[in-house]
Amino acid sequence: SQTIHQWPATLVQPVGSPLSLECTVEGTSNPNLYWYRQAAGRGLQLLFYSVGIGQISSEVPQNLSASRPQDRQFILSSKKLLLSDSGFYLCAWTRGSGNTIYFGEGSWLTVV
Amino acid sequence: GQQLNQSPQSMFIQEGEDVSMNCTSSSIFNTWLWYKQDPGEGPVLLIALYKAGELTSNGRLTAQFGITRKDSFLNISASIPSDVGIYFCAGPSTTSGTYKYIFGTGTRLKVLA
């Protein structure tokens, strides 16, 4: 079966510090990978998606970037965090030709 | 762009009651997905619907894919305290590219013991 795991689960970072959130999918190959942000009490905002290694599409201009160094690994980064980057970040995956999206456990980021 | 409207936004119910929530759109969807999200956790897929008219159950949960392909409902029978959470509907976009998913704003369910 397929699993998705993201870490760290919780992160408190000072303004101006770097960020790295990691996500890996197991049990499948060539998945589509996604990063979403969910503000408290609000819906899901798509940040990035990737259909293959090194292929990143950005949905929202912002202080964040994403990379896909390996087929089943997706990384969300920032060089300098802003207070507004605080939120709940979700990694997700679908099969290459699939129509069902599966989410990781989520990562809480608090920028102080 | 496509939107999914969920109702109700929130509901308080007594333990043991049945719950019904729905999701509508002005455009068609080819897949309807229902998720539950507990506080501080990622959404968990409850039911996936792939065919218009399809009625699918998962334990006490039942969901249907509307015939018009513009709506779906989720029912929970005999609610229990652990049903508390936010329920989202979702579907892959049919207008914005095959990789994008549209999510409803969620129904927040609170169960009173």
Side-chain angles (χ1 to χ4, degrees):
Chain A
S1 63
Q2 299 82 27
T3 59
I4 179 170
H5 183 51
Q6 62 178 104
W7 70 95
T10 305
L11 200 59
V12 180
Q13 292 285 99
V15 169
S17 65
L19 170 73
S20 180
L21 298 179
E22 296 194 30
C23 173
T24 58
V25 179
E26 298 295 335
T28 189
S29 60
N30 198 30
N32 296 328
L33 297 172
Y34 301 78
W35 279 111
Y36 288 89
R37 178 166 57 200
Q38 186 177 34
R42 303 183 69 177
L44 294 163
Q45 178 188 33
L46 178 62
L47 302 176
F48 302 94
Y49 69 91
S50 171
V51 300
I53 296 174
Q55 301 179 59
I56 309 294
S57 295
S58 175
E59 289 296 300
V60 182
Q62 60 206 320
N63 186 41
L64 302 169
S65 63
S67 61
R68 185 169 176 173
Q70 299 180 43
D71 182 46
R72 296 187 300 268
Q73 183 184 24
F74 206 23
I75 298 172
L76 183 68
S77 304
S78 173
K79 292 182 179 178
K80 289 185 177 182
L81 284 168
L82 306 172
L83 287 173
S84 58
D85 291 325
S86 294
F88 190 53
Y89 290 83
L90 288 160
C91 183
W93 75 276
T94 66
R95 289 185 175 83
S97 58
N99 53 6
T100 305
I101 189 166
Y102 302 91
F103 291 90
E105 311 96 326
S107 298
W108 276 107
L109 171 65
T110 302
V111 182
V112 295
Chain B
Q2 288 182 294
Q3 290 184 323
L4 289 175
N5 302 305
Q6 274 190 257
S7 64
Q9 288 187 328
S10 64
M11 53 195 317
F12 288 80
I13 60 168
Q14 292 286 338
E15 183 177 359
E17 289 184 347
D18 296 343
V19 175
S20 184
M21 59 189 79
N22 62 50
C23 195
T24 61
S25 176
S26 59
S27 56
I28 64 170
F29 280 78
N30 295 320
T31 296
W32 288 89
L33 308 169
W34 285 94
Y35 297 85
K36 178 176 183 270
Q37 186 175 24
D38 291 328
E41 298 182 13
V44 174
L45 181 67
L46 300 173
I47 293 178
L49 302 162
Y50 301 113
K51 188 177 178 181
E54 181 181 356
L55 182 70
T56 297
S57 293
N58 177 8
R60 294 179 294 106
L61 278 61
T62 302
Q64 185 159 29
F65 190 142
I67 290 291
T68 66
R69 295 161 65 192
K70 293 183 179 181
D71 62 348
S72 176
F73 71 75
L74 175 70
N75 288 343
I76 305 173
S77 63
S79 59
I80 59 178
S82 61
D83 290 332
V84 166
I86 301 176
Y87 293 79
F88 290 100
C89 59
S93 172
T94 54
T95 62
S96 301
T98 56
Y99 307 112
K100 297 185 182 180
Y101 283 72
I102 310 300
F103 295 89
T105 50
T107 292
R108 188 180 299 270
L109 179 64
K110 298 185 179 181
V111 180
L112 306 174

